[in-house]
Amino acid sequence: MTATTEINKIISKENLVYGKTSVLLDNEMHYCPGCTHGVIHKVIAEVIDEMGIQDKTIGVSPVGCSVLAYNYIDIDWQQAAHGRAPALATATSRLMPGKYVFTYQGDGDLASIGCAEIIHACNRGENIVVFFVNNAIYGMTGGQMAPTTLEGQVTATTPYGRDCKVTGFPMKITEMIAMLPGTRFVTRQSAETPGAVRKLKKAAQKAFENTRENKGLSFIEIVGTCSSGWKLSPVKSNEWMKENMFAYYPLGTLKDE
Amino acid sequence: MAKFKGAIVVDTEKCKGCGLCVVACPTKVIELARDVNGKGYHYAHMANADACIGCSSCGLVCPDTVITVYRVKAS
Ligand SMILES: Cc1ncc(C[n+]2csc(CCOP(=O)(O)OP(=O)(O)O)c2C)c(N)n1
Ligand code: SF4
Ligand code: SF4
Ligand code: SF4
Ligand SMILES: [Mg+2]
C-alpha cells in the first residue's frame, strides 16, 4: 500500500477525532495570523457545544479587536460601548434568568476604560462569566500601552519602554477581582499549548456550570499574544509571553468557592 | 511503534501560516509550504505524514480552526 492510499484510508468520518464545532461559524476570522482571540473563540464555542447550551447563551462583545466576535460564535450577542460589557451583561442576566451570559473583553476594554464597570459587576456578584483577554496592549488601535503593559515593554505610546515612574505599574486586575466577595471562581489561564487549551476549556466549562447553579460571577483571564502589536512572529510572541508575561501574571486559579 | 496512526486535513485556503501548529506537533509532521494560498500565506501541510499519531495537538492550538484530525489504531 502506498503512503497516499494509507492516508486516504485514515481520512474518513469514522476516524474523526478533532474538527471544527458547528457552534463556530464558517466565516474566516479577521484576526492576524496566530492571534490568541481565535483560540479563545474556539474554546468557548466547543464548551457551548458540549454543554448543549447554544440556544441559551448570550455573549456581550467589547470594543477592541474582538468587537466582531458575533461573526464567529453562533449564539445570541450584544455589542457594548467601550468597557461597558459588564453593564449589558448585568441587565441581560437579571432580566433573563436561565440564560448563560458572558462578556468577552480585552485588557484595554476591561482594565482601562471599563475598570469601574468590571469592579462593580464583580462586587455585585452578577451571575455572569467574564473572559478577560490580556495581551498587554491595545491591539485594535495600533498597539498602544494598556494598563497591563509590562514595565519596559515597547509600544506605540511607550517607544522607549513603559516607564512606571510616569505611567504607573502594570495592573493585576485578576488579583484585585479575586479579593471581592462577589466573585466565586477567579482563574488565570493561557492558550499557547495543547495542554493550556485543554485547561482553559475546563475552566470555561466550570464557569458556565457556575452560571447554571446561580453561583455568581466567574472570571477567567487569558494571558495571550498580539503579534502585530508586539512586532514579533506568532511563534516568537508565544516565547516572549512565556518568558515575560507569565512571570508577572502567573497562571493558576486564585479562587474557587 | 506508535499505537495510533493519524492524518490531518488543513483547509489551506483559510490557513494563515502562523506556524503555531508546526511548533505544537510532537512528531514534527507539519511544515509551512513554499507555495502560498490565495491570501499569500505559506499554508501548513503534512510534510512527514508517516509520523502523524493523530494526537490533535495541532488542531487544538490552531487559532483559525482549520485543521481536522483523523486517527486509527496502528495495525
Ligand atoms: C469611547 C472610546 N474610546 C476609545 C476608543 C478607541 N479604542 C478602540 S479599541 C481600543 C482598545 C482595545 O484594546 P483591548 O481592549 O486591549 O483589545 P485588543 O484589541 O487588544 O484585543 C481603544 C482605546 C473607542 N473605540 N471608543
Ligand atoms: S492586532 Fe493583535 S489582538 Fe488584534 S487581531 Fe491582530 S494580533 Fe490579534
Ligand atoms: S495553526 Fe492553523 S492557521 Fe496557523 S499555520 Fe497551522 S493550520 Fe495554519
Ligand atoms: S495530529 Fe498530532 S502528530 Fe498529527 S500532525 Fe497534528 S500534532 Fe502532529
Ligand atoms: Mg489588548
Side-chain angles (χ1 to χ4, degrees):
Chain A
M1 197 157 56
T2 68
T4 328
T5 47
E6 197 183 343
I7 288 166
N8 287 340
K9 275 180 89 173
I10 298 173
I11 297 172
S12 81
K13 231 178 171 177
E14 70 270 19
N15 301 329
L16 179 78
V17 286
Y18 189 85
K20 190 178 80 62
T21 156
S22 61
V23 175
L24 216 47
L25 292 159
D26 285 332
N27 299 333
E28 273 180 46
M29 290 188 179
H30 71 288
Y31 300 118
C32 309
C35 179
T36 314
H37 281 306
V39 187
I40 302 167
H41 287 14
K42 181 230 306 261
V43 165
I44 295 173
E46 285 180 0
V47 169
I48 290 171
D49 187 3
E50 285 162 25
M51 290 179 71
I53 56 173
Q54 185 177 14
D55 57 348
K56 298 193 201 81
T57 307
I58 303 172
V60 185
S61 73
V63 170
C65 279
S66 51
V67 62
L68 302 174
Y70 49 77
N71 282 337
Y72 308 126
I73 304 176
D74 191 9
I75 52 169
D76 287 334
W77 283 94
Q78 299 175 89
Q79 198 279 312
H82 209 359
R84 273 55 179 175
L88 277 187
T90 296
T92 308
S93 77
R94 286 187 180 203
L95 291 168
M96 305 178 85
K99 298 284 185 191
Y100 296 80
V101 182
F102 71 88
T103 72
Y104 186 105
Q105 304 176 257
D107 48 337
D109 188 84
L110 183 144
S112 194
I113 193 168
C115 196
E117 295 282 339
I118 192 63
I119 285 175
H120 286 290
C122 287
N123 196 47
R124 292 192 305 268
E126 299 296 340
N127 193 36
I128 60 173
V129 179
V130 175
F131 292 96
F132 167 44
V133 186
N134 178 7
N135 55 14
I137 210 158
Y138 291 179
M140 185 198 210
T141 41
Q144 294 82 2
M145 191 196 90
T148 43
T149 296
L150 295 179
E151 181 166 18
Q153 188 181 335
V154 173
T155 69
T157 44
T158 56
Y160 306 109
R162 179 174 186 172
D163 179 356
C164 294
K165 284 200 215 78
V166 180
T167 60
F169 297 88
M171 219 171 191
K172 297 193 179 189
I173 285 282
T174 303
E175 276 78 355
M176 289 163 58
I177 293 301
M179 283 166 48
L180 299 171
T183 54
R184 296 297 293 263
F185 176 48
V186 180
T187 187
R188 185 182 281 122
Q189 300 287 329
S190 65
E192 82 290 5
T193 61
V197 174
R198 287 196 178 96
K199 273 196 197 156
L200 171 60
K201 220 175 135 176
K202 278 212 180 103
Q205 189 175 335
K206 183 179 191 70
F208 283 124
E209 280 164 5
N210 283 351
T211 304
R212 175 186 290 156
E213 292 160 26
N214 257 307
K215 277 190 161 179
L217 198 138
S218 299
F219 189 94
I220 304 178
E221 172 179 347
I222 302 103
V223 180
T225 66
C226 172
S227 56
S228 294
W230 296 3
K231 313 249 181 284
L232 295 168
S233 72
V235 172
K236 284 262 180 319
S237 292
N238 273 343
E239 286 166 12
W240 191 89
M241 175 182 73
K242 284 193 226 179
E243 223 178 283
N244 300 283
M245 298 276 284
F246 290 0
Y248 194 81
Y249 300 114
L251 304 184
T253 295
L254 288 87
K255 186 175 187 180
D256 184 6
E257 291 175 349
Chain B
M1 213 185 97
K3 281 195 191 129
F4 292 101
K5 269 209 69 54
I8 63 166
V9 175
V10 180
D11 186 341
T12 51
E13 269 314 306
K14 282 192 178 170
C15 169
K16 293 181 186 154
C18 69
L20 297 185
C21 56
V22 176
V23 178
C25 176
T27 58
K28 301 203 168 10
V29 172
I30 311 171
E31 283 177 13
L32 298 184
R34 287 174 67 100
D35 230 0
V36 293
N37 63 16
K39 290 193 288 236
Y41 292 125
H42 295 281
Y43 54 85
H45 74 119
M46 280 203 291
N48 182 18
D50 278 349
C52 181
I53 52 171
C55 68
S56 299
S57 293
C58 52
L60 281 165
V61 301
C62 174
D64 291 88
T65 317
V66 297
I67 302 179
T68 311
V69 185
Y70 300 87
R71 185 172 72 173
V72 292
K73 280 214 173 82
S75 47

